[in-house]
Amino acid sequence: MDAFLISTGIVALAEMGDKTQLLALVLAARFRKPWPIVAGIFVATIANHAMAGALGAWLTTLISPQTMRWILGVSFIAMAGWMLIPDRLDDDAADGRLPRFGVFGTTAMLFFLAEMGDKTQIATVMLAARYDAWFGVVAGTTLGMMLANVPVVWLGAKVTKKVPLRVVHLVSALIFALLGAAALFGWG
């Protein structure tokens, strides 16, 4: 249960102001069809985070627990620093054209690709390596993505104007730093 709850919270916070959240805003503004956009985000997130979680779980079979502890500690601390750098949406993802795959297909493809190497995908790898709970981590990170993106799809710019992104990024960075310290010093 810890893996699920921590994964949900970390990814929900990490996603605030992230390029995929901005992508959700662009898609919502462009297509004005929230249901297929939300469904596309969900499918893309499950696929992407399931692979990331599997990678994290697999890494624990290759690397000794002591080495993994140091890798995770340093990775979480590096993620804390990365959280302090705001994301911007690439212009390529927001050109305004509707590809032949429709709103759902377009959203699923764009989200899957936008998540490759993204903070939340890397966090999923690290969380799956940290906890021996692949399903809990993937379910938690997926729920975190949905908690951060669904309101943006439904409420659009109103949500992003009311959320103090700098504070969210600072809180996320603090959580990642604490997880890094906990891994390095064997807490928890």
Side-chain angles (χ1 to χ4, degrees):
M1 191 62 159
D2 283 348
F4 173 76
L5 294 174
I6 289 171
S7 297
T8 300
I10 283 177
V11 168
L13 287 171
E15 184 64 11
M16 299 304 266
D18 191 73
K19 69 179 174 240
T20 48
Q21 191 180 49
L22 297 174
L23 178 59
L25 180 61
V26 168
L27 291 169
R30 169 70 175 107
F31 299 126
R32 301 184 195 286
K33 294 184 178 193
W35 286 111
I37 293 169
V38 168
I41 291 169
F42 181 71
V43 167
T45 301
I46 286 177
N48 194 292
H49 289 205
M51 290 187 318
L55 175 62
W58 177 68
L59 287 174
T60 63
T61 65
L62 299 176
I63 301 170
S64 74
Q66 184 66 11
T67 303
M68 182 59 74
R69 188 183 96 189
W70 284 98
I71 291 171
L72 287 173
V74 171
S75 296
F76 278 124
I77 290 169
M79 184 66 78
W82 192 7
M83 286 305 305
L84 299 175
I85 303 168
D87 275 337
R88 288 173 184 37
L89 181 64
D90 296 330
D91 291 333
D92 296 341
D95 65 2
R97 292 180 293 159
L98 178 60
R100 64 184 139 176
F101 301 109
V103 175
F104 169 80
T106 300
T107 301
M109 286 187 299
L110 287 175
F111 258 79
F112 184 83
L113 293 173
E115 272 296 290
M116 298 305 275
D118 195 51
K119 292 173 197 167
T120 51
Q121 184 190 44
I122 293 170
T124 303
V125 171
M126 293 186 317
L127 289 163
R130 165 72 172 88
Y131 296 99
D132 187 23
W134 176 86
F135 181 80
V137 168
V138 172
T141 58
T142 300
L143 178 59
M145 286 287 287
M146 299 310 288
L147 288 173
N149 287 303
V150 169
V152 171
V153 171
W154 286 101
L155 302 173
K158 292 177 190 173
V159 170
T160 58
K161 288 180 183 176
K162 295 192 186 254
V163 176
L165 292 179
R166 186 68 183 150
V167 171
V168 172
H169 283 263
L170 288 171
V171 169
S172 299
L174 178 63
I175 292 170
F176 276 113
L178 289 172
L179 285 171
L184 288 173
F185 299 111
W187 307 330

